[in-house]
Amino acid sequence: MATFLYTLGRLSFRRRHFVALIWVALLTLAGVGAASAPAAGNSSFSIPGTEAQKAFDLLEQRFPGTSADGATARVVFKAPSGEKMTDPGNKATVQDTVKELSDGSEVVRVTDPYQAKAVSKDGTIAYAQVSYKVSGMELDDAAKDALKDSAQDARKAGLTVEIGGDALQAVPHTGSSEVIGIAVAAVVLVITFGSLVAAGLPLLTALIGVGIGVSAITGLASALDLGTTTSTLAMMIGLAVGIDYALFIVSRYRAELAEGREREEAAGRAVGTAGSAVVFAGLTVVIALVGLSVVNIPMLTKMGIAAAGTVAIAVLIALTMIPALLGYAGRKVKPMGEKGKLLGRAKKPAPTEKPNLGTRWASFVVRRPLAVLLLGVIGLGAAAVPATSLELGLPDDGSQPTSTTQRRAYDLLSEGFGPGFNGPLMVVVDAKNSDDPKAVFTETGDEIKGLKDVVTVTPAQPNKAGDTATITVIPGSKPSSVTTENLVHGIRGAGADIKADTDANVLVTGSTAMNIDVSEKLNDALVPYLILVVGLAFLLLIVVFRSILVPLKAALGFLLSVMAALGAVVAVFQWGWLSGLMGVEQTGPVMSMMPIFMVGVVFGLAMDYEVFLVTRMREAYVQGEKPAQAVVTGFRHGARVVTAAAVIMMAVFAGFIGSSESMVKMIGFGLAIAVFFDAFIVRMAIVPAVLALLGRKAWWLPKWLDRALPNVDVEGEGLRTRTDRGDEDRELVRA
């Protein structure tokens, strides 16, 4: 591995024009593809195997033309103070609006509030529901504009009008905080390298890699049904790992220059050593992201694969374009320890220079390993405590910012009709195999009326064949509450009894039921996913470190950091701690996808720091240093760079906290705090403490396993042997 990458690094350095041309061509090609591709909306959402999805599929068969998965909008009207919606003037305005909405070519039907009894008991609030032929993703701009215009006309008449539902789903934006995150990364790089040129290389290559990845996703979005969230998350992860991978190779290049090597040789050795760590670190991230497909949720699978592709591009760019750009930079990239003009005159450090901070910290940990270990574990354990009250759900209009019309419509409906009105349950009764379908429909409605937390049960609406009917149930609690979840299970339990008596299937669907099914599906998939991803990465790290205990320690440390990060997410987004600072306007359940997505991404990133830091320690140990001294040596060479990489990654992730979409905001915060816990507590404190306590046992590997494993040579031992032979040959020539 090291020898191959060494050759690749030297070749890229020497043929830099060709390498740069290839990547620029790929970026141009991807950009043209993205510009010419049709625009993509929000990804369609289907959950194979769940009861809610089966009910949707059944509705498509038994109620053809009703567009069960079509977009919906609720136009909510509120009368001025002191007036009623039943007043003649207000009633005329609403009916004009309903008529105007009915003229749309994609509109299936519009309910009249006065005929559908959709006026609140106090008469101040009413709503009209608009159903469309196509999904929110496919709804054209003209239909959305017509919806907005009709609401504006009613507002001019003096009514308060807001629009809820999925017909007006907006493309999320991240705001200026994303740019701030990149700016922080740039500052950290300048401080780390002391040179604008050296600092600019990781940023440039990361932006090119993300540009190719996101452009490719944009170009394929319509064909593969990729939502806007997919490209946002790919950008988030691609930027973070792209900067970090390039940072490690540039840092190693400067270290090789400091040892007196020529620039082409230094580039080759940097790619051969640090590049090997980049390859295996990237592999762990890719495994974690692609492994999301085991959950069998198409949207999550697409997000994982798209992000994994962006990570793979980041690895390839770091291995090829970084040495090419180093060739262009020439002497503008200084050897390590030699400052550029930006931060001081160029001078080499004195031989008696005091140990750096990484060396001093590692020496302290080696002297007090047990105390540091206990302090780190207790601290992370305390941070993880809120995770014990974790509640899962999917966002609805109630989690939108109060500035949006969707959130205001949600609040008006809660005010006028109760909190459960925003999450109606649709019960589908399949009585095709029953002797008396009508009796089954009536019995089902009566059974549901007897359950707790039921406010309204509408009469059954059968299809033309009379063998299937839908019943709408309005809960008494808000959609994301545990009480509503219990009601869904209660209806399904009653349906099981009805099936036993009448052979009719009773299915519960709707967005609220779908969210509950998703949460349960993700919970069930979490343990198999952990086993798959951690197991594969564990085997990979055994090959990298030639050890059993080091990969085991890495996996356990990851579990500590991810639990602590989940605890922080619960504290902010569920409990409301520091919610104002984070821009969280509405607390509630943590998104169902958050734990499993965080596990996947954080595991990959955690292994990045493990590989980069511990390979330096193993390199020193293989060269003959004692275990404790190898830990100190690893920190002397790697702590500064790992710290910079962690700060950069935290800044990039934190930049997405400003997103308007709650999922992106939550993931940005969760990943940023997880990187903090993992890099600064687990990898910088717990890892050296454990290695110091284990001593030589940390690097133990059974002889039979050592012989069976392939030798990937991450430490670059083959390069040292090659260099030694080259030195001997040159001595013979001189003689």
Side-chain angles (χ1 to χ4, degrees), residues 140-197:
D140 62 31
D141 292 337
K144 295 180 180 180
D145 291 340
L147 183 61
K148 295 175 185 176
D149 292 342
S150 64
Q152 189 59 37
D153 292 341
R155 291 189 186 105
K156 290 178 181 177
L159 298 179
T160 298
V161 187
E162 304 296 347
I163 305 171
D166 59 354
L168 289 184
Q169 285 181 334
V171 176
H173 63 273
T174 54
S176 60
S177 54
E178 176 188 346
V179 179
I180 294 173
I182 297 175
V184 171
V187 171
V188 173
L189 286 169
V190 170
I191 293 173
T192 302
F193 291 133
S195 164
L196 285 175
V197 174

Side-chain angles (χ1 to χ4, degrees), residues 451 484-495 508 516-517 520:
L451 298 175
T484 301
E485 182 178 347
N486 292 335
L487 174 59
V488 171
H489 290 304
I491 296 173
R492 288 172 175 170
V508 186
I516 292 168
D517 287 350
E520 292 178 351

Side-chain angles (χ1 to χ4, degrees), residues 380 383 560-562 564-565 568 672-683:
L380 290 177
L560 276 174
S561 58
V562 80
I673 198 70
V675 168
F676 171 78
F677 287 144
D678 195 86
F680 293 105
I681 299 180
V682 174
R683 309 302 153 188

